[in-house]
Amino acid sequence: MKENINLSNLPKHIAVIMDGNGRWAKKQGAMRIFGHHHGIKSVKDTVEGCVELGVKYLTLYTFSTENWNRPKLEVEGIMQLLIKTIGEEVPDLNKNNVRLKAIGDIESLPKSARKKLLDSIELTKTNTGLTLTLALSYSGKWEIVEVTKKIAQQVKSGALAIENITEEVFSSFLATGEAPDVDLMIRTGGDHRISNYLLWQLAYAELYFMDDLYWPEFRRQHLFEAIYEYQQRERRFGKTSEQLPSVKV
Ligand code: FPP
């Protein structure tokens, strides 16, 4: 599959909803946290797949604002897993020239998780290859409200005039920073929804839903299949087919 991918037409920004860990674990007769542990292998393989191809931005929905409502034991298990994995992975991230970032209400994470995260971000900040962003305690509506507050502050202080609020200005305040809007969004686990993820950035994303695959089963070959499928789609951005440049893969 990798050979069929057109490297000059890669999605610049891929976002993933890593769904189905709990159901995968249940299928094995195990606790839900077992599924999250196995999801780590999928995360690593996906990151390596992106590095292998030269994808610039990968954003993973790791923990949503709504996930705080899960049973306490599961939330604690995910936080422990996060602390362990983020710490252990720094050498590999550096080896692969991957810059780690995080978006979301980081202040709401347990102190130990926040510290490990910020340390790892610091240790990888000069890397220039893939930007790997973990969405943690994140939701799209939360982010839009945060942007609105920042813009309101600027208007209030006189730094920004209302008539100068444009889509570009709004985008510049998003947590994803300089990352372009999402080109391809992949969701495993069979559900066909956005689940409050990157609501602004997904405006023109191609959506790729995997009906028969839980996140712990996801490997780079699935990533390559998704990218190949993405490259077969016609992205019109509201135009007609005839208006598009005729360069086709
Ligand atoms: C969704 O599956 C998965 C999560 C809410 C957690 C995902 C977290 C990881 C894979 C750990 C990631 C760690 C790093 C360092 C990136 P689900 O629990 O909603 O599954 P279900 O839909 O079958 O219940």
Side-chain angles (χ1 to χ4, degrees):
M1 185 46 80
K2 192 186 158 199
E3 302 70 54
N4 297 330
I5 291 175
N6 175 1
L7 295 178
S8 63
N9 183 29
L10 287 174
K12 288 187 191 65
H13 188 173
I14 299 178
V16 185
I17 300 183
M18 312 182 282
D19 199 18
N21 292 351
R23 279 167 288 162
W24 182 84
K26 198 172 168 192
K27 219 172 68 178
Q28 331 284 319
M31 306 254 294
R32 296 178 55 82
I33 195 68
F34 183 70
H36 299 314
H37 275 269
H38 276 265
I40 298 294
K41 171 86 184 116
S42 311
V43 170
K44 288 192 204 173
D45 215 57
T46 305
V47 171
E48 286 170 15
C50 285
V51 169
E52 203 177 312
L53 292 179
V55 171
K56 290 304 288 178
Y57 295 91
L58 173 68
T59 304
L60 302 177
Y61 210 0
T62 307
F63 195 83
S64 72
T65 309
E66 292 79 14
N67 285 153
W68 289 114
N69 299 319
R70 291 195 173 194
K72 192 164 173 270
L73 200 64
E74 182 174 347
V75 171
E76 282 174 4
I78 294 177
M79 290 302 149
Q80 285 307 321
L81 185 59
L82 203 63
I83 296 167
K84 182 172 174 289
T85 310
I86 290 174
E88 282 174 2
E89 289 306 312
V90 168
D92 267 357
L93 293 175
N94 281 334
K95 195 179 81 194
N96 283 316
N97 197 19
V98 177
R99 176 172 64 146
L100 183 68
K101 285 189 128 188
I103 55 171
D105 186 10
I106 303 306
E107 290 301 308
S108 68
L109 296 176
K111 210 169 151 201
S112 48
R114 194 166 65 233
K115 181 168 180 342
K116 187 60 81 183
L117 184 67
L118 296 176
D119 287 351
S120 304
I121 289 172
E122 183 64 25
L123 290 166
T124 61
K125 73 174 182 197
T126 55
N127 292 336
T128 54
L130 173 72
T131 297
L132 168 64
T133 302
L134 303 182
L136 281 164
S137 193
Y138 172 89
S139 80
K141 287 188 176 181
W142 168 85
E143 181 181 30
I144 288 171
V145 169
E146 288 301 301
V147 171
T148 308
K149 284 184 194 163
K150 285 180 188 148
I151 290 180
Q153 276 296 345
Q154 294 244 329
V155 171
K156 195 175 164 191
S157 71
L160 182 65
I162 290 183
E163 52 277 20
N164 289 339
I165 302 173
T166 59
E167 288 185 15
E168 288 71 29
V169 167
F170 194 95
S171 293
S172 71
F173 283 95
L174 290 167
T176 38
E178 94 289 350
D181 278 357
V182 175
D183 296 305
L184 170 63
M185 198 283 284
I186 301 171
R187 179 174 189 147
T188 56
D191 287 322
H192 293 200
R193 53 177 169 259
I194 308 285
S195 296
N196 211 350
Y197 192 36
L198 299 170
L199 295 178
W200 177 282
Q201 298 90 332
L202 285 175
Y204 265 105
E206 294 299 326
L207 307 180
Y208 185 83
F209 296 108
M210 305 190 71
D211 291 335
D212 304 313
L213 200 92
Y214 295 135
W215 179 249
E217 299 162 327
F218 191 89
R219 291 294 176 271
R220 76 187 76 184
Q221 95 229 18
H222 302 109
L223 172 78
F224 297 160
E225 279 162 24
I227 294 176
Y228 178 75
E229 151 86 28
Y230 160 87
Q231 293 185 333
Q232 309 316 304
R233 296 191 191 176
E234 185 179 68
R235 304 190 77 201
R236 292 191 295 279
F237 299 98
K239 295 182 178 174
T240 67
S241 274
E242 293 70 30
Q243 290 174 295
L244 300 174
S246 56
V247 273
K248 199 89 175 79
V249 189

